[in-house]
Amino acid sequence: MSSEQDKAFPGAADLPAPIQKETDFTRELLAENERLREELAQLADRQQGAVRKPHDWEELRQELRQRIDTLEAECTTVRERLDQVERENQQFAERYVEMEEENNNLANLYVASYQLHSTLDLDEVLNIIREIVTNLVGADTFAIYLLDEETRELRAVVAEGLEVSEFPSTRLGSGVLGEAAASTETTCFEVQGEGGDLERPIVCVPLRLGDRPLGAIAAYSLLGQKGGAFSALDRELFDMLGGRAATAIFAAKLYSQSERKLNTIQSFIDLLTK
Amino acid sequence: MGHRVLIVEDSPTMRKLLVFALRRLEGAEIVECQDGMDGLRQLSGEPFDIALVDVDMPVMEGLELIRLIRNEDTLEQIPIVVITTEGASEDRKRALELGADEYLCKPIQANRVLEVVEGLLKVQ
């Protein structure tokens, strides 16, 4: 025990055994601390001495220069990697947004398709088409036209925004609506003036079953949030509607006709058997 | 146990879309009603964690349903999402004044429905 340590712990010898043990341990720690301090001082001296020699100084400078170069190269690589990761991150974010949009589109298409084939009642089918155009596409004013196969005239049977009677009938293949309805593809028109011209819709979706025209959906205005334009989803929905709605309408008409025939036959059989 | 969600909407297409949108809400039990009166009956039974209410409905419209919910002690804490058309900004404003927590505009997006519902359920 050094005299200095004795000074730090006067009367330590008189302490009880457990405390004595702790005191010894503390002394050892202090001694170790002292030894380390000395070593550090020696190291600092050696380093100082080395730097003072011109050759060592040059060597140290070279080493540092090399280290700086290496670090700069690493820094450049890391920056490049960071840029690449940021670009990838951006691409993933864009892809995520696209996927979400795609998911929305699929949800709408699934619901529309499911609903269209959920009934064989013509009125219900037409009402479902109305709901799809209102709720999924966001059209404000529109009409669903059905073709009278005898007169070849398109007549509005369901409408939104205005009364059905306000929508003019037109011959298939004649006029803006008639021509668009006779076409095989959805036609989108530029909005002219304030719109509202019932002879000129902003979109016309022909309802066709193969080569057979059954009618058309004509939209004249959109809800405010649509910004007056149709999105890619709207076009997909329209294309899907053109096919699926036509099938649903045709199936409902066919079912209604067969039901009528069945009732007639049943009435005839009843008449014969009673 | 999953959340109980009440959908009060007269359009079957919209109901189908809302149910489809909420399919990712794990374990959720979704109950559908087609008018406000039916919705109120459901609410007076087993408790719900959230209600999605259309404004324009037959029998009892959405705004009246929201008013009744907020005036009922046992239901006043239930989060309400009101569904309106874009043009009906007055309805939307009125619904929020009556105590609706959020709103969705038609045509609605499936991911937005889930986002709004999940957000409100987390707060709750």
Side-chain angles (χ1 to χ4, degrees):
Chain A
M1 190 191 297
S2 71
S3 60
E4 211 172 307
Q5 283 168 356
D6 284 339
K7 273 183 209 164
F9 301 98
D14 304 332
L15 292 169
I19 300 176
Q20 180 70 42
K21 217 172 174 182
E22 295 296 322
T23 313
D24 290 346
F25 180 66
T26 310
R27 278 180 185 141
E28 278 169 31
L29 277 180
L30 283 169
E32 182 64 10
N33 186 33
E34 190 60 32
R35 193 184 60 76
L36 287 171
R37 271 177 195 279
E38 277 167 20
E39 269 187 27
L40 190 66
Q42 282 168 8
L43 265 173
D45 286 346
R46 275 209 299 274
Q47 200 178 28
Q48 195 70 18
V51 169
R52 278 190 205 117
K53 291 174 190 166
H55 174 73
D56 291 348
W57 177 257
E58 182 57 29
E59 213 170 64
L60 189 63
R61 205 176 66 84
Q62 289 292 336
E63 267 177 34
L64 283 172
R65 170 67 63 195
Q66 278 173 6
R67 185 78 188 123
I68 288 168
D69 290 346
T70 313
L71 286 172
E72 275 182 354
E74 273 176 21
C75 182
T76 310
T77 314
V78 169
R79 276 180 195 280
E80 281 170 5
R81 184 79 191 115
L82 185 69
D83 287 346
Q84 193 186 339
V85 169
E86 274 180 2
R87 278 197 302 275
E88 277 174 12
N89 196 25
Q90 180 71 20
Q91 281 169 358
F92 279 125
E94 283 167 11
R95 188 83 193 108
Y96 178 78
V97 171
E98 276 174 28
M99 294 287 282
E100 279 293 310
E101 207 171 306
E102 192 77 6
N103 189 38
N104 281 333
N105 298 357
L106 286 172
N108 284 0
L109 290 172
Y110 163 76
V111 169
S113 187
Y114 182 93
Q115 288 298 102
L116 276 173
H117 294 98
S118 63
T119 178
L120 281 170
D121 182 285
L122 183 60
D123 288 337
E124 282 181 22
V125 169
L126 292 172
N127 195 40
I128 288 166
I129 298 173
R130 185 182 61 77
E131 282 191 358
I132 290 169
V133 180
T134 307
N135 296 320
L136 303 189
V137 177
D140 202 14
T141 309
F142 65 89
I144 303 166
Y145 289 86
L146 286 186
L147 180 70
D148 184 324
E149 297 200 8
E150 282 177 18
T151 62
R152 307 299 285 171
E153 199 171 50
L154 289 160
R155 280 200 207 107
V157 287
V158 169
E160 191 71 35
L162 293 169
E163 290 296 319
V164 174
S165 55
E166 293 180 64
F167 291 89
S169 298
T170 183
R171 277 190 70 78
L172 187 71
S174 116
V176 176
L177 178 62
E179 275 178 28
S183 149
T184 54
E185 286 177 359
T186 298
T187 315
C188 294
F189 299 95
E190 288 289 316
V191 181
Q192 291 186 341
E194 289 180 1
D197 179 0
L198 295 182
E199 297 284 350
R200 193 181 172 82
I202 54 172
V203 67
C204 179
V205 185
L207 300 174
R208 301 180 73 88
L209 194 65
D211 293 337
R212 187 173 178 170
L214 294 175
I217 301 167
Y220 298 87
S221 68
L222 301 174
L223 291 170
Q225 78 202 67
K226 301 287 294 182
F230 291 112
S231 65
L233 168 65
D234 297 332
R235 285 167 198 269
E236 275 181 54
L237 261 175
F238 284 143
D239 287 342
M240 188 277 296
L241 266 179
R244 299 289 164 87
T247 314
I249 289 171
F250 186 75
K253 277 182 168 178
L254 215 57
Y255 181 74
S256 156
Q257 282 168 10
S258 66
E259 278 288 287
R260 273 204 303 273
K261 278 182 188 164
L262 192 66
N263 283 340
T264 312
I265 293 166
Q266 189 62 52
S267 306
F268 187 64
I269 291 169
D270 288 348
L271 202 69
L272 287 176
T273 53
K274 277 178 190 170
Chain B
M1 193 179 149
H3 295 287
R4 292 194 84 225
V5 182
L6 180 69
I7 295 174
V8 192
E9 162 68 74
D10 62 320
S11 155
T13 305
M14 278 299 293
R15 284 205 304 271
K16 184 83 188 161
L17 183 64
L18 292 169
V19 171
F20 190 78
L22 295 172
R23 77 197 183 285
R24 285 195 277 173
L25 204 62
E26 214 169 307
E29 185 191 343
I30 300 170
V31 178
E32 299 173 49
C33 301
Q34 54 186 7
D35 62 64
M37 193 61 86
D38 193 13
L40 202 59
R41 262 196 298 272
Q42 287 289 346
L43 284 163
S44 60
E46 279 206 35
F48 284 89
D49 297 300
I50 192 163
L52 281 78
V53 179
D54 183 29
V55 166
D56 193 15
M57 286 185 296
V59 187
M60 182 196 287
E61 64 159 24
L63 293 178
E64 177 62 5
L65 177 62
I66 294 169
R67 194 185 65 78
L68 290 171
I69 291 173
R70 287 297 179 241
N71 285 341
E72 175 62 51
D73 291 346
T74 54
L75 300 174
E76 64 178 353
Q77 295 302 319
I78 184 173
I80 300 173
V81 181
V82 69
I83 301 165
T84 68
T85 48
E86 169 61 18
S89 56
E90 275 305 311
D91 281 347
R92 200 160 53 241
K93 195 177 154 199
R94 182 90 186 100
L96 294 172
E97 280 170 2
L98 284 169
D101 299 271
E102 266 285 5
Y103 66 86
L104 290 166
C105 284
K106 293 180 190 176
I108 60 167
Q109 301 286 302
N111 64 337
R112 176 77 186 130
V113 177
L114 190 67
E115 194 181 296
V116 166
V117 169
E118 277 184 332
L120 287 172
L121 288 174
K122 266 182 204 161
V123 170
Q124 196 188 27

